[in-house]
mmCIF file of all heavy atoms in Angstrom:
data_model
loop_
_atom_site.group_PDB
_atom_site.id
_atom_site.type_symbol
_atom_site.label_atom_id
_atom_site.label_comp_id
_atom_site.label_asym_id
_atom_site.label_seq_id
_atom_site.Cartn_x
_atom_site.Cartn_y
_atom_site.Cartn_z
ATOM 1 N N GLU B 123 -22.528 30.223 4.249
ATOM 2 C CA GLU B 123 -22.715 31.679 4.165
ATOM 3 C C GLU B 123 -21.717 32.279 3.179
ATOM 4 O O GLU B 123 -22.051 33.167 2.398
ATOM 5 C CB GLU B 123 -22.532 32.269 5.561
ATOM 6 C CG GLU B 123 -22.853 33.739 5.675
ATOM 7 C CD GLU B 123 -24.305 34.054 5.362
ATOM 8 O OE1 GLU B 123 -25.193 33.207 5.657
ATOM 9 O OE2 GLU B 123 -24.566 35.117 4.791
ATOM 10 N N THR B 124 -20.484 31.787 3.222
ATOM 11 C CA THR B 124 -19.447 32.274 2.293
ATOM 12 C C THR B 124 -19.853 32.028 0.846
ATOM 13 O O THR B 124 -19.674 32.877 -0.015
ATOM 14 C CB THR B 124 -18.113 31.561 2.578
ATOM 15 O OG1 THR B 124 -17.861 31.586 3.964
ATOM 16 C CG2 THR B 124 -16.967 32.199 1.827
ATOM 17 N N ARG B 125 -20.400 30.834 0.614
ATOM 18 C CA ARG B 125 -20.828 30.503 -0.751
ATOM 19 C C ARG B 125 -21.902 31.469 -1.228
ATOM 20 O O ARG B 125 -21.894 31.937 -2.370
ATOM 21 C CB ARG B 125 -21.379 29.075 -0.834
ATOM 22 C CG ARG B 125 -20.388 27.991 -0.577
ATOM 23 C CD ARG B 125 -19.501 27.668 -1.756
ATOM 24 N NE ARG B 125 -18.454 26.747 -1.345
ATOM 25 C CZ ARG B 125 -17.287 27.119 -0.842
ATOM 26 N NH1 ARG B 125 -16.988 28.386 -0.719
ATOM 27 N NH2 ARG B 125 -16.403 26.232 -0.473
ATOM 28 N N LYS B 126 -22.829 31.780 -0.314
ATOM 29 C CA LYS B 126 -23.932 32.686 -0.690
ATOM 30 C C LYS B 126 -23.399 34.067 -1.036
ATOM 31 O O LYS B 126 -23.811 34.687 -2.026
ATOM 32 C CB LYS B 126 -24.929 32.806 0.466
ATOM 33 C CG LYS B 126 -25.838 31.626 0.638
ATOM 34 C CD LYS B 126 -26.753 31.856 1.831
ATOM 35 C CE LYS B 126 -27.388 30.551 2.253
ATOM 36 N NZ LYS B 126 -27.988 30.647 3.589
ATOM 37 N N ILE B 127 -22.470 34.570 -0.207
ATOM 38 C CA ILE B 127 -21.914 35.906 -0.453
ATOM 39 C C ILE B 127 -21.146 35.913 -1.768
ATOM 40 O O ILE B 127 -21.260 36.847 -2.573
ATOM 41 C CB ILE B 127 -20.980 36.326 0.713
ATOM 42 C CG1 ILE B 127 -21.782 36.520 1.997
ATOM 43 C CG2 ILE B 127 -20.229 37.587 0.370
ATOM 44 C CD1 ILE B 127 -20.925 36.660 3.230
ATOM 45 N N GLN B 128 -20.367 34.860 -2.004
ATOM 46 C CA GLN B 128 -19.581 34.790 -3.235
ATOM 47 C C GLN B 128 -20.483 34.770 -4.473
ATOM 48 O O GLN B 128 -20.202 35.432 -5.475
ATOM 49 C CB GLN B 128 -18.701 33.530 -3.233
ATOM 50 C CG GLN B 128 -17.479 33.661 -2.365
ATOM 51 C CD GLN B 128 -16.737 32.366 -2.183
ATOM 52 O OE1 GLN B 128 -17.266 31.296 -2.487
ATOM 53 N NE2 GLN B 128 -15.524 32.440 -1.674
ATOM 54 N N GLN B 129 -21.557 34.003 -4.355
ATOM 55 C CA GLN B 129 -22.504 33.930 -5.480
ATOM 56 C C GLN B 129 -23.134 35.285 -5.749
ATOM 57 O O GLN B 129 -23.256 35.743 -6.886
ATOM 58 C CB GLN B 129 -23.578 32.886 -5.125
ATOM 59 C CG GLN B 129 -24.496 32.498 -6.259
ATOM 60 C CD GLN B 129 -23.753 31.898 -7.423
ATOM 61 O OE1 GLN B 129 -22.869 31.068 -7.235
ATOM 62 N NE2 GLN B 129 -24.061 32.322 -8.613
ATOM 63 N N ARG B 130 -23.515 35.938 -4.664
ATOM 64 C CA ARG B 130 -24.144 37.255 -4.764
ATOM 65 C C ARG B 130 -23.208 38.286 -5.379
ATOM 66 O O ARG B 130 -23.577 39.100 -6.208
ATOM 67 C CB ARG B 130 -24.546 37.670 -3.353
ATOM 68 C CG ARG B 130 -25.535 38.744 -3.283
ATOM 69 C CD ARG B 130 -26.934 38.223 -3.391
ATOM 70 N NE ARG B 130 -27.827 39.376 -3.332
ATOM 71 C CZ ARG B 130 -29.047 39.370 -3.771
ATOM 72 N NH1 ARG B 130 -29.549 38.273 -4.288
ATOM 73 N NH2 ARG B 130 -29.786 40.452 -3.696
ATOM 74 N N MET B 131 -21.950 38.224 -4.946
ATOM 75 C CA MET B 131 -20.909 39.131 -5.469
ATOM 76 C C MET B 131 -20.736 38.922 -6.962
ATOM 77 O O MET B 131 -20.662 39.866 -7.743
ATOM 78 C CB MET B 131 -19.583 38.847 -4.770
ATOM 79 C CG MET B 131 -19.339 39.645 -3.545
ATOM 80 S SD MET B 131 -17.706 39.227 -2.927
ATOM 81 C CE MET B 131 -17.569 40.437 -1.669
ATOM 82 N N ALA B 132 -20.621 37.652 -7.328
ATOM 83 C CA ALA B 132 -20.421 37.332 -8.744
ATOM 84 C C ALA B 132 -21.583 37.842 -9.581
ATOM 85 O O ALA B 132 -21.395 38.408 -10.666
ATOM 86 C CB ALA B 132 -20.261 35.830 -8.899
ATOM 87 N N ASP B 133 -22.797 37.644 -9.052
ATOM 88 C CA ASP B 133 -23.980 38.117 -9.797
ATOM 89 C C ASP B 133 -24.013 39.636 -9.892
ATOM 90 O O ASP B 133 -24.380 40.203 -10.924
ATOM 91 C CB ASP B 133 -25.263 37.628 -9.101
ATOM 92 C CG ASP B 133 -25.384 36.115 -9.147
ATOM 93 O OD1 ASP B 133 -24.751 35.504 -10.022
ATOM 94 O OD2 ASP B 133 -26.105 35.552 -8.300
ATOM 95 N N SER B 134 -23.625 40.308 -8.789
ATOM 96 C CA SER B 134 -23.756 41.772 -8.773
ATOM 97 C C SER B 134 -22.722 42.443 -9.673
ATOM 98 O O SER B 134 -22.983 43.467 -10.286
ATOM 99 C CB SER B 134 -23.630 42.286 -7.337
ATOM 100 O OG SER B 134 -22.300 42.135 -6.895
ATOM 101 N N PHE B 135 -21.551 41.882 -9.755
ATOM 102 C CA PHE B 135 -20.534 42.493 -10.613
ATOM 103 C C PHE B 135 -20.865 42.341 -12.085
ATOM 104 O O PHE B 135 -20.589 43.192 -12.893
ATOM 105 C CB PHE B 135 -19.154 41.857 -10.342
ATOM 106 C CG PHE B 135 -18.359 42.564 -9.296
ATOM 107 C CD1 PHE B 135 -18.127 41.996 -8.067
ATOM 108 C CD2 PHE B 135 -17.846 43.841 -9.536
ATOM 109 C CE1 PHE B 135 -17.392 42.661 -7.101
ATOM 110 C CE2 PHE B 135 -17.108 44.502 -8.583
ATOM 111 C CZ PHE B 135 -16.888 43.914 -7.354
ATOM 112 N N GLY B 136 -21.410 41.247 -12.430
ATOM 113 C CA GLY B 136 -21.746 41.027 -13.826
ATOM 114 C C GLY B 136 -20.577 40.445 -14.595
ATOM 115 O O GLY B 136 -19.469 40.291 -14.090
ATOM 116 N N VAL B 137 -20.869 40.147 -15.859
ATOM 117 C CA VAL B 137 -19.863 39.477 -16.694
ATOM 118 C C VAL B 137 -19.018 40.522 -17.402
ATOM 119 O O VAL B 137 -19.526 41.515 -17.909
ATOM 120 C CB VAL B 137 -20.582 38.574 -17.744
ATOM 121 C CG1 VAL B 137 -19.568 37.978 -18.696
ATOM 122 C CG2 VAL B 137 -21.348 37.474 -17.037
ATOM 123 N N GLY B 138 -17.717 40.333 -17.388
ATOM 124 C CA GLY B 138 -16.836 41.212 -18.133
ATOM 125 C C GLY B 138 -16.506 42.511 -17.425
ATOM 126 O O GLY B 138 -15.828 43.360 -17.981
ATOM 127 N N VAL B 139 -16.962 42.649 -16.184
ATOM 128 C CA VAL B 139 -16.696 43.883 -15.444
ATOM 129 C C VAL B 139 -15.483 43.643 -14.543
ATOM 130 O O VAL B 139 -15.451 42.645 -13.832
ATOM 131 C CB VAL B 139 -17.918 44.262 -14.581
ATOM 132 C CG1 VAL B 139 -17.631 45.465 -13.721
ATOM 133 C CG2 VAL B 139 -19.121 44.488 -15.475
#
Side-chain angles (χ1 to χ4, degrees):
Chain B
E123 187 62 33
T124 312
R125 294 280 172 272
K126 284 179 196 165
I127 293 169
Q128 283 171 346
Q129 190 60 44
R130 198 85 181 159
M131 269 183 172
D133 295 338
S134 70
F135 269 110
V137 175
V139 175

